[in-house]
Amino acid sequence: MRVRIKLLAAAEMPPGFDQFGEREMDLPAGASLADAMADISLPAEETYTSLVGGQAVQADARAGHALSDGDEVTLLPAIQGG
Amino acid sequence: MGGWQGKVLRVDLSAGTTASEPLNQEWADQYLGQRGLASKYLYEEMDPAADPLSPENKMIFATGPLTGTMASTGGRWSVVTKGALTDAIACSNSGGYFGGELKLAGWDMVIFEGKSPHPVYLMIRDDDAQILDARDFIWGETAWVAEDSIKAKHQDPLIRIASIGRAGEARVRLAGGRHAQAPAAGRAGGGAGRGAKNRKAVAVRGTTGVAVHDPKRFMQVVGEMRQKLDTHAARERLGRVGTHAMMDNTNAYGSLPTRNGRDVQFDGHDAVKVKTAHTPRRSDRKANVISSKACFSCSIGCGRIAKIDPEHFTVVEETAKKRYGNAIGGLEYESIFALAPMVGCSDLSAATYVNALCNEDGMDPISLGGSISAAMELFEEGVITEKETGGIKLNFGNAEAMCRVAEEAARGEGFGAEVGLGSKRLCEKYGRPELSVSVKGLEFPGYDPRAMQGMGLAYATSNRGACHMRASPFVDDFSHVRPDGKAQIVKDTQDANAGKDATGLCAFAGNAWDLSDYAAQIDAACGGGWDAERLTQTGERIWTLERQFNMRAGLTKADDTLPERFLKEAAKSGVAKGRVTELDKMLPEYYEIRGWTADGVPTNETLDRIGL
Ligand code: SF4
């Protein structure tokens, strides 16, 4: 299956992402959100919020959240302040 | 005494005198610097019930023990007073170069009292402080002109200046202060307070140094902390895309206050998002953001320098506005949120222009945007018409109308003068107080509390009104939308942030540093056994003292609330679709965790425990 990943508020895009912070990802059927995120090199010292189809999936629920073909995953760094 | 200069400058504007006095070291040990120490002085020295625009109100410029040192981000300073917008204690934390220079001139704090019989400015050169006449000189001028004029008159380009613009002179209540190369120092009406004192500017030139308790350990610790900060992903982001990047998050999450809080996501987001601000436009092949800037001793550099599109109506209309076509201070998250989604405008150049006006004339862009958005909702609801606005069609999304009202507000003229009252007074005047998106009279920053419940509790309980820097529930708020667990997080981070706000270091470094990192630098500079626990206790003491000031000023539990909209109207989209802010669940728990009564009053046991 194929999902679309959007990475927000990034200073520099990790490998595989276009300049708009987007990337298509092919995953085996039944792959979870945690599987998809394991394939993206995000800075380890930061916490990321994950949305699937605009709905929040908490960090401890990612492994149990099966993705479906065509899903849109959005990743937001939980930056502080502004 | 390491970290401190040991001296306070007292300026009696009524008598026209200045005097040096020793720093109260006992208070400095209990409250640290900046927000903490200045709040203590204010609490002890003035009647909290005094009118904020009267001579009885005092205003304190305060540095922290790390201000002016080599510690990374060590240029922070605070303005503490009773706020003209909020009638509550107001502390504005600022950066730039002024605070470092004041400390290097040998002063920990400056206390202004009374009211000058005529407009003046204060000139400080190390030990020498003089009150000088501002009439026929800089009174009536914008802050930009005032700064250039002072430097020229005193023949020193290195003078650092904190000044008000015309808005502060006109007692526009949402006026702040401003100073070169930094965001405006002043939410909550500090600029109007300075205008009411007839004090236009403070200029300072310092040539001393700051002695620290253990120089060798200090150098080692600040070196380690700089390394930790410089290699952190958050520094890279803040340096390259600034705080503006936050809008990607809030829009996707559904926590971006839009059209005065009617919506939580902005359909015009693409036109004003950070990527757009960094993308070259057709007209001059330049992007809105042309470079970044940093405050004293800061290696992050989250500030922006921007250039308005040369074909934009704000810079082509008349020659008077041409100066805005040059490199000017750019947008931060809070200013772009307030001057774009909040007013429904998807015009990056218009937001940049109004932000520059705020800089030049000394207004708080968050409160200005939030007051214009309130006026727009009054207009859309038919409560006010073109008769009241002087012919301006003040609909959401009308960027030209926003610019015109902002220009009038800057001068305290026309309908802009009413907007300059702030949204609370404006909406009360027209019989619709519920349309003011504010707490204690201070307009919301850019986080909708229906999707960010912790931020909702933080706004409601903040001692200075709706503020996003008083607590840091960001990580938890961006992970779930339920109210559980928020009370503890808000209390803990309020205390931690109050501690950080007393150090002289920047809160944004908190993306990379934890509280023990702040404390380690204080301990090396001041000695005395500073650790994270003591800094948290100090923060709780500061928080509770501010609360006591507000109670004596007449504020009660009834002021710990949110506008009706957020408690009754469900979010229309985003992760919190269908939800309201569940303040009724969080607030009693918060009071209990704080050791306050059900009416929000600190108990005697609590006051004893924290040493008040
Ligand atoms: S992080 Fe930004 S606001 Fe803080 S000191 Fe550095 S440049 Fe100034």
Side-chain angles (χ1 to χ4, degrees):
Chain A
M1 65 176 170
R2 175 167 279 208
V3 298
R4 184 166 198 80
I5 318 276
K6 285 174 89 170
L7 181 61
L8 302 185
E12 196 161 6
M13 294 305 163
F17 284 82
D18 67 17
Q19 57 157 327
F20 300 104
E22 299 195 10
R23 164 183 176 179
E24 302 273 350
M25 191 183 274
D26 288 315
L27 292 163
S32 70
L33 176 58
D35 296 331
M37 288 182 68
D39 212 31
I40 305 168
S41 54
L42 296 171
E45 69 266 34
E46 289 197 307
T47 310
Y48 278 77
T49 295
S50 46
L51 309 178
V52 178
Q55 289 308 305
V57 179
Q58 274 187 259
D60 57 6
R62 285 173 190 156
H65 189 104
L67 294 174
S68 307
D69 189 46
D71 268 351
E72 186 170 285
V73 175
T74 310
L75 300 174
L76 302 59
I79 36 182
Q80 318 221 1
Chain B
M1 284 289 281
W4 303 102
Q5 301 289 27
K7 277 190 334 192
V8 174
L9 177 63
R10 190 173 291 275
V11 181
D12 184 337
L13 291 162
S14 299
T17 56
T18 65
S20 170
E21 62 185 48
L23 176 75
N24 187 321
Q25 192 62 46
E26 193 186 328
W27 291 354
D29 291 342
Q30 287 175 338
Y31 291 89
L32 219 48
Q34 276 189 275
R35 175 178 164 190
L37 189 62
S39 296
K40 177 66 174 169
Y41 269 84
L42 195 76
Y43 183 79
E44 297 294 340
E45 291 196 1
M46 76 170 270
D47 175 7
D51 177 348
L53 293 180
S54 73
E56 285 70 48
N57 193 7
K58 297 201 180 190
M59 179 171 288
I60 303 178
F61 285 14
T63 67
L66 293 173
T67 311
T69 70
M70 289 178 63
S72 197
T73 77
R76 306 299 298 188
W77 61 289
S78 300
V79 178
V80 178
T81 187
K82 182 174 178 182
L85 195 59
T86 57
D87 288 316
I89 192 164
C91 169
S92 293
N93 186 317
S94 195
Y97 288 79
F98 179 86
E101 197 76 16
L102 181 63
K103 187 78 171 285
L104 294 175
W107 303 100
D108 294 310
M109 295 203 311
V110 185
I111 301 174
F112 296 96
E113 47 197 33
K115 176 186 177 177
S116 172
H118 60 81
V120 294
Y121 67 106
L122 180 69
M123 181 76 219
I124 303 171
R125 282 182 194 275
D126 292 335
D127 278 345
D128 181 49
Q130 291 183 34
I131 298 171
L132 301 174
D133 201 334
R135 287 173 297 186
D136 302 323
F137 176 39
I138 50 174
W139 192 254
E141 300 291 352
T142 69
W144 290 358
V145 172
E147 287 174 12
D148 289 347
S149 303
I150 290 172
K151 286 179 182 177
K153 179 172 178 179
H154 296 276
Q155 298 183 349
D156 188 349
L158 295 177
I159 292 172
R160 304 293 182 181
I161 298 151
S163 167
I164 56 170
R166 293 174 297 184
E169 290 180 15
R171 325 281 207 263
V172 171
R173 284 187 186 255
L174 54 74
R178 64 95 54 200
H179 48 95
Q181 305 296 322
R187 295 205 66 203
R194 287 173 236 195
K197 293 198 171 308
N198 266 333
R199 203 212 62 217
K200 174 75 176 178
V202 181
V204 61
R205 183 78 173 90
T207 59
T208 68
V210 181
V212 293
H213 164 73
D214 185 340
K216 196 164 159 223
R217 180 154 61 95
F218 185 73
M219 293 303 286
Q220 189 191 331
V221 173
V222 299
E224 285 167 11
M225 290 307 130
R226 189 171 288 265
Q227 172 77 6
K228 186 171 180 181
L229 183 62
D230 288 357
T231 53
H232 196 278
R235 191 209 75 90
E236 176 80 0
R237 179 181 304 99
L238 278 167
R240 287 179 62 165
V241 290
T243 56
H244 191 156
M246 180 62 93
M247 199 155 72
D248 280 8
N249 280 4
T250 50
N251 191 54
Y253 203 61
S255 58
L256 177 60
T258 299
R259 295 183 197 89
N260 206 37
R262 283 180 170 181
D263 299 300
V264 294
Q265 289 175 309
F266 184 38
D267 40 1
H269 173 250
D270 273 356
V272 293
K273 68 183 179 183
V274 67
K275 179 79 188 163
T276 306
H278 285 263
T279 303
R281 56 208 167 204
R282 260 200 313 268
S283 58
D284 61 351
R285 309 249 168 251
K286 286 201 173 74
N288 175 275
V289 176
I290 51 176
S291 63
S292 61
K293 63 180 179 181
C295 305
F296 181 95
S297 201
C298 179
S299 54
I300 299 176
C302 74
R304 306 287 99 173
I305 302 286
K307 194 169 186 304
I308 292 174
D309 186 332
E311 293 177 0
H312 192 260
F313 70 84
T314 52
V315 287
V316 297
E317 249 183 15
E318 48 179 272
T319 44
K321 292 181 183 173
K322 285 270 191 258
R323 64 186 179 280
Y324 293 103
N326 302 326
I328 49 178
L331 296 156
E332 299 174 38
Y333 172 61
E334 292 303 337
S335 44
I336 183 64
F337 132 75
L339 303 172
M342 192 61 170
V343 287
C345 295
S346 49
D347 188 330
L348 198 56
S349 282
T352 309
Y353 170 73
V354 175
N355 187 54
L357 268 184
C358 286
N359 247 323
E360 180 172 24
D361 273 310
M363 295 183 289
D364 166 21
I366 306 178
S367 284
L368 180 65
S371 299
I372 294 177
S373 71
M376 285 175 162
E377 190 155 11
L378 289 170
F379 190 85
E380 298 247 344
E381 298 258 312
V383 180
I384 57 172
T385 64
E386 285 179 56
K387 189 165 152 268
E388 284 81 15
T389 65
I392 301 173
K393 288 188 173 53
L394 204 51
N395 297 91
F396 284 122
N398 186 343
E400 294 195 34
M402 168 179 75
C403 293
R404 249 184 87 187
V405 171
E407 287 162 1
E408 289 183 355
R411 298 188 299 266
E413 294 171 5
F415 182 67
E418 293 194 33
V419 169
L421 295 169
S423 65
K424 179 168 176 268
R425 288 174 173 84
L426 176 75
C427 292
E428 278 170 356
K429 176 174 176 181
Y430 290 105
R432 297 292 299 274
E434 76 282 5
L435 295 184
S436 166
V437 178
S438 65
V439 172
K440 302 181 178 82
L442 191 65
E443 286 71 20
F444 271 33
Y447 306 91
D448 190 288
R450 289 166 286 201
M452 298 178 75
Q453 299 273 331
M455 196 56 89
L457 178 63
Y459 288 172
T461 57
S462 161
N463 291 321
R464 76 159 182 171
C467 174
H468 60 295
M469 299 300 285
R470 285 294 178 270
S472 301
F474 296 96
V475 173
D476 196 65
D477 274 357
F478 277 127
S479 99
H480 72 92
V481 295
R482 299 178 309 279
D484 33 289
K486 302 294 186 187
Q488 188 73 54
I489 291 169
V490 168
K491 187 263 180 196
D492 289 347
T493 56
Q494 282 174 338
D495 293 347
N497 288 5
K500 289 178 196 174
D501 281 351
T503 59
L505 302 178
C506 182
F508 289 161
N511 280 292
W513 294 341
D514 55 35
L515 206 57
S516 61
D517 295 330
Y518 284 84
Q521 296 177 83
I522 290 288
D523 193 56
C526 303
W530 284 92
D531 57 15
E533 195 185 338
R534 182 169 169 197
L535 198 50
T536 307
Q537 286 166 353
T538 303
E540 185 177 14
R541 195 174 297 129
I542 296 167
W543 190 270
T544 311
L545 185 82
E546 291 174 339
R547 177 83 179 178
Q548 287 185 298
F549 183 101
N550 283 351
M551 289 188 321
R552 284 178 53 198
L555 276 69
T556 66
K557 178 187 178 182
D559 297 291
D560 293 342
T561 191
L562 295 172
E564 201 176 85
R565 162 163 288 157
F566 303 91
L567 304 174
K568 292 196 174 150
E569 283 175 33
K572 293 180 197 151
S573 65
V575 296
K577 185 175 177 184
R579 282 182 177 271
V580 296
T581 313
E582 297 182 67
L583 189 63
D584 54 338
K585 293 206 175 104
M586 298 184 285
L587 191 61
E589 188 188 349
Y590 170 86
Y591 284 165
E592 197 181 325
I593 292 170
R594 278 232 168 262
W596 295 356
T597 67
D599 286 326
V601 178
T603 63
N604 286 338
E605 298 81 69
T606 300
L607 295 177
D608 283 347
R609 178 176 59 74
I610 57 183
L612 276 172

